[in-house]
Amino acid sequence: MTQTEYLKLSLGFLLTMITTPLLGLVDTAMMGHLDDPAYIGGVAVGALVFSTLYWLFGFLRVSTIAFTAQALGNGCKEELVWAVLRPIAISLVVSGVFVIFQIPILESFLFFIKPEEHVALLARQYFYVLIWGAPFVLVSYVCTGWLMGLTKLRVTLIMQIFINAFNLLLTFLFVMVFKWGVYGVASATLIAQIVLCLVSVWAVWHYGEIDLKHITMRNLFDKSAFRKIMIINGDLMVRTICLLIMTNLFTATGAKLGTEMLAANAILFQLQYLIGNFIDGFANASSVVSGQALGKKDIALYKTGIKLSIRWAVIMIVVLTVFYLLFDKNIIRLFTKMDNVIALADRYSFWMAIYPLSYAFNTVFYGILNGVTWSDPVRNSTVAALGCFLFGIWFLVPLWGNDGLWASFTLFNCCRSLYLSYVIHTAGDRPFEVVTSIH
């Protein structure tokens, strides 16, 4: 793996990943150009519910990338097919549970977050439309992860660009022309989710050359295979739960500071999500490289992937930080025209300039460990980071208010980065030994 090959792979992932958060960015920006900050808050709370649900089972995409890369590395076509079909089966079951229990799910979140009544009403409008997109979203996660693991990046990029342009057009039509408000935003996103799922399934069918004649229910739901999936993904589930606790506490704490503060934080949180996806492009490239290295049993390739990941993490930190410091005020004004919300977002914007440094090493090292499906350190780092975040919520927020909240968030990311940096530095060839013992 040369630096040019790694960069080409990373840029492909980067272009794909930065389009992913645009659905949420479009929703936030459209609501920000209405007259009441409650619209931003309502969509933010509603979107938080879905982020929680989908993140909880985000391992469906993450592990699919790793298993697909490993199957590609060892040249096993049968494993490539199972790498997508079994997670799809899981995603359909999980999304069915979401739909059946939609009312208690939403009301539990609202009870926990306690937004103002008008914000809660708008969040309900948003949620009860988009909940029907759950099966389409989770199946899309799996299909996209499979295509990424197969390095079909041009296909995933085209799909993401198309679906975001389609969603933007529908959102503008429903909100600005038809004046449907939150219903318009939710309806546009739901339609986009359905279309993306259908296109993703077609892409998998086309590139996977899947022959259903040899697929049986007994093979699909093979106990040994599913046990392997759950063993590897159990730690990722713990990681995700910790991330969700942090995100929900962040939003709930911000909501207590008022609707305008909630709106300003929602804008900044969307920005950190966008910045994070720039870095995640390199993390996914690292995951594919380490996964292929495991499949080929090529330790030299694994170590080369680590060196390239570190080098480009540093470059991305510098580039993203400088870019944000130069254009932060212009970027914030793309989201809203409300002066009070803009002023608050500007006031706390400097925390976003710190974000690349706190986040970059965590995510690229997570990608490396995910590729070889060594998840213990990932779990442990996030549990430790959650402890740091709770410390910040308990001590820093009463002292510094919203600055304390963002300081706690930064502490969370720094803890994960430092932990995984230590693991990668001291691990040597151990990831290959750990994975061999699991299998």
Side-chain angles (χ1 to χ4, degrees), residues 107-370:
E107 295 306 319
S108 298
F109 272 90
L110 294 179
F111 176 80
F112 174 75
I113 297 175
K114 293 182 175 61
E116 296 179 2
E117 186 57 36
H118 187 35
V119 173
L121 176 63
L122 294 171
R124 288 188 177 93
Q125 294 176 4
Y126 186 81
F127 177 86
Y128 286 126
V129 173
L130 273 184
I131 187 60
W132 299 101
F136 303 99
V137 171
L138 292 183
V139 170
S140 297
Y141 278 7
V142 173
C143 293
T144 303
W146 187 85
L147 292 168
M148 287 180 170
L150 208 60
T151 65
K152 299 295 184 181
L153 303 182
R154 181 178 299 179
V155 176
T156 56
L157 177 59
I158 292 173
M159 288 193 308
Q160 291 292 342
I161 292 175
F162 165 75
I163 209 63
N164 280 289
F166 181 63
N167 179 66
L168 177 60
L169 177 63
L170 286 182
T171 303
F172 181 83
L173 180 66
F174 292 168
V175 176
M176 297 301 180
V177 179
F178 295 162
K179 308 298 182 183
W180 289 355
V182 170
Y183 282 121
V185 166
S187 298
T189 301
L190 175 61
I191 295 172
Q193 289 170 348
I194 294 172
V195 173
L196 177 60
C197 178
L198 295 176
V199 174
S200 299
V201 169
W202 173 85
V204 168
W205 181 273
H206 176 74
Y207 288 103
E209 300 177 358
I210 298 174
D211 185 2
L212 295 180
K213 294 178 181 179
H214 303 290
I215 305 299
T216 65
M217 295 299 290
R218 183 175 181 179
N219 290 335
L220 180 62
F221 293 100
D222 179 75
K223 291 182 180 179
S224 176
F226 270 95
R227 186 163 59 89
K228 182 189 296 184
I229 292 174
M230 297 316 297
I231 287 175
I232 291 173
N233 286 292
D235 292 332
L236 297 182
M237 175 77 80
V238 173
R239 166 193 176 268
T240 304
I241 291 173
C242 292
L243 286 171
L244 294 175
I245 292 173
M246 182 278 295
T247 304
N248 287 325
L249 282 175
F250 183 97
T251 302
T253 305
K256 295 176 183 177
L257 300 175
T259 299
E260 290 185 346
M261 189 70 78
L262 176 64
N265 282 346
I267 291 173
L268 294 178
F269 217 78
Q270 287 290 342
L271 287 177
Q272 68 83 25
Y273 189 30
L274 181 61
I275 293 170
N277 273 272
F278 273 92
I279 303 171
D280 287 347
F282 289 84
N284 280 302
S286 300
S287 183
V288 169
V289 172
S290 62
Q292 291 185 7
L294 178 65
K296 297 176 180 178
K297 306 301 180 185
D298 188 343
I299 294 177
L301 176 60
Y302 170 74
K303 292 182 176 180
T304 298
I306 292 176
K307 293 178 181 178
L308 292 172
S309 298
I310 294 173
R311 180 179 304 165
W312 283 99
V314 172
I315 293 173
M316 289 305 294
I317 289 170
V318 174
V319 170
L320 290 172
T321 301
V322 171
F323 182 85
Y324 187 78
L325 289 173
L326 291 175
F327 301 105
D328 59 332
K329 296 185 183 301
N330 303 85
I331 296 172
I332 289 172
R333 281 157 179 77
L334 295 175
F335 286 88
T336 182
K337 61 183 180 181
M338 290 174 277
D339 292 336
N340 290 342
V341 175
I342 291 174
L344 281 173
D346 282 343
R347 163 68 178 78
Y348 300 102
S349 178
F350 73 94
W351 290 106
M352 288 299 95
I354 303 173
Y355 178 68
L357 177 60
S358 68
Y359 179 76
F361 291 108
N362 154 63
T363 194
V364 296
F365 290 153
Y366 163 62
I368 290 169
L369 295 174
N370 174 64

Side-chain angles (χ1 to χ4, degrees), residues 7-20:
L7 182 58
K8 182 179 179 180
L9 183 62
S10 298
L11 290 177
F13 275 114
L14 187 153
L15 291 173
T16 301
M17 293 301 297
I18 62 174
T19 63
T20 301

